[in-house]
Amino acid sequence: MKNLNKKSGISLMVLAITVVIMIVIASTILVSYNNIIEDTLKKDFASEIYSIQKLVDQYYFINGRYPITSQYILDIDTIDEKFRFEFEEERVENNSIKLSIIDLKECDVENSKRGKKDTDNDIYVVSEKTGIIYYIKGAKFDDFVYYTLTDDLKREIGL
């Protein structure tokens, strides 16, 4: 005669614990993946703006002028206060900074992901007073917006 009281199979408790462990592992992988993507995008932006800075500096050294197309007036009020430090070396007059739009083709920038003038703010500009390059649209990573090559971005690319 068979013993009908004997239980076989997986208990509900074991199944629940297994599901919880799998959710924790999946969450960890997802967070790690997002951090890797964020870091990669940040390094990509830092490398691009660094390369453009070097090419614009080289152009200026050879030609005695910047490769610009026209002037751009940046209204400093459009920049969040916590990111305005990126423009601290610039002279602000009437809440605006006078910058110049860079002609990327003229300084041999061929493969930039940004600054293609798809919109009015998707441009790289240079300050003719300081020589600093800015990306007017700003690149947002981890709730932080980068407009130029900051110390944080320099560390990302090993400078």
Side-chain angles (χ1 to χ4, degrees), residues 72-128:
Y72 182 87
I73 305 300
L74 173 64
D75 181 357
I76 200 70
D77 290 333
T78 62
I79 307 296
D80 190 308
E81 267 188 61
K82 65 182 175 181
F83 307 122
R84 289 185 190 171
F85 77 91
E86 293 184 58
F87 298 90
E88 66 188 2
E89 292 188 39
E90 304 303 332
R91 192 167 82 197
V92 178
E93 294 177 5
N94 300 323
N95 278 347
S96 57
I97 301 170
K98 184 178 174 184
L99 302 164
S100 300
I101 299 172
I102 299 171
D103 183 349
L104 295 176
K105 289 179 184 174
E106 192 173 344
C107 61
D108 295 328
V109 175
E110 297 184 16
N111 296 324
S112 69
K113 294 181 181 177
R114 298 161 197 83
K116 296 181 180 179
K117 257 189 153 175
D118 294 337
T119 63
D120 287 340
N121 64 356
D122 185 22
I123 55 175
Y124 280 108
V125 295
V126 62
S127 167
E128 293 188 64

Side-chain angles (χ1 to χ4, degrees), residues 85 146 148-159:
F85 77 91
Y146 295 93
T148 193
L149 193 61
T150 63
D151 290 339
D152 180 34
L153 289 180
K154 287 178 185 177
R155 279 191 301 275
E156 285 287 329
I157 57 175
L159 295 178

Side-chain angles (χ1 to χ4, degrees), residues 129-141:
K129 293 185 184 346
T130 63
I132 298 173
I133 305 296
Y134 298 98
Y135 178 57
I136 291 301
K137 190 174 187 178
K140 185 176 182 178
F141 309 106

Side-chain angles (χ1 to χ4, degrees), residues 10 18 22 27 31-32 43 52-53 68 71 79 83 88 93 105 119 121 146 149 158:
I10 300 174
T18 303
M22 291 182 76
S27 298
V31 167
S32 295
K43 286 178 183 176
I52 290 172
Q53 181 75 61
I68 59 174
Q71 296 296 306
I79 307 296
F83 307 122
E88 66 188 2
E93 294 177 5
K105 289 179 184 174
T119 63
N121 64 356
Y146 295 93
L149 193 61

